[in-house]
Amino acid sequence: MLKVQEIREIIKLIDQSNIDEFSYEANGTKVHMKKPQGEVVSQPVQVQQPVQAPPKTEPKQEAVEQAPKQEAKEDTAEKEAPKAQGNADYDAEVKSPMVGTFYASPSPEEDVYVKVGDTVKEDSVVCIVEAMKLFNEIEAEVSGEIVEILVKDGELVEYGQPLFRVKSK
């Protein structure tokens, strides 16, 4: 199975190349990317049983249907975030490196990785983002104190969405 970083590299390479379409399948995982009008569109799919390829119009419809739901969730997150702790004093943000589900702890029974007031180092794991059944540990990438947690456990997050605010030390 491809790692998220490998998928990102493939997207960059295809975007910079003259290749218009790319498909890859291994171990029940299929990745298909198509570059219409100069843009890269990726559609990772988890395949459990061999099936015939769906008509090309279905993935586009899914993407259109999912977009308004994601925008609504982003709007909700933006409205809730300032209420969480007001205007916290910070100079760095830990952002999600991928689209997925945010988890504050390694499992429901365990304590959260970090809470407001905790000190983190660059290599400190602050949360998990689940993408395509892979649980990716997210590191702080900055040393300092957690001053605000911007998302709730189990919430969907977008690529580049701020998860934590950190005051560097």
Side-chain angles (χ1 to χ4, degrees):
M1 179 170 280
L2 290 173
K3 295 181 182 176
V4 173
Q5 186 61 32
E6 293 171 328
I7 294 172
R8 284 190 195 143
E9 290 176 28
I10 292 171
I11 291 171
K12 285 180 187 176
L13 291 172
I14 291 175
D15 190 35
Q16 296 169 354
S17 73
N18 293 332
I19 297 173
D20 291 330
E21 192 168 343
F22 173 81
S23 292
Y24 175 82
E25 186 172 350
N27 300 329
T29 300
K30 182 177 180 182
V31 177
H32 180 84
M33 296 178 210
K34 188 173 182 180
K35 190 167 53 169
Q37 301 173 352
E39 297 177 19
V40 175
V41 177
S42 65
Q43 300 168 341
V45 177
Q46 184 77 23
V47 179
Q48 295 181 1
Q49 298 177 4
V51 293
Q52 292 181 337
K56 291 185 179 183
T57 57
E58 285 185 356
K60 291 179 185 176
Q61 289 173 348
E62 288 178 17
V64 171
E65 290 172 5
Q66 290 176 357
K69 293 176 187 174
Q70 290 173 350
E71 289 174 13
K73 288 178 184 176
E74 287 175 13
D75 292 342
T76 304
E78 289 172 8
K79 290 176 187 174
E80 290 176 3
K83 295 176 189 174
Q85 194 160 2
N87 292 332
D89 183 28
Y90 69 96
D91 50 19
E93 290 181 328
V94 178
K95 297 181 179 182
S96 178
M98 65 194 76
V99 174
T101 304
F102 171 88
Y103 293 108
S105 61
S107 73
E109 300 83 31
E110 294 186 46
D111 291 336
V112 295
Y113 283 107
V114 294
K115 45 189 180 291
V116 174
D118 286 356
T119 301
V120 294
K121 296 180 181 176
E122 291 180 2
D123 61 348
S124 298
V125 175
V126 293
C127 67
I128 292 176
V129 175
E130 177 194 1
M132 296 184 349
K133 303 292 182 196
L134 293 177
F135 292 86
N136 303 281
E137 291 184 338
I138 308 303
E139 295 180 350
E141 297 182 358
V142 64
S143 294
E145 178 184 344
I146 301 288
V147 294
E148 192 171 1
I149 301 173
L150 303 170
V151 292
K152 295 178 182 172
D153 195 46
E155 187 175 319
L156 289 175
V157 293
E158 296 293 323
Y159 170 79
Q161 178 180 345
L163 305 173
F164 301 91
R165 290 190 173 148
V166 180
K167 175 69 176 170
S168 298
K169 293 192 175 189

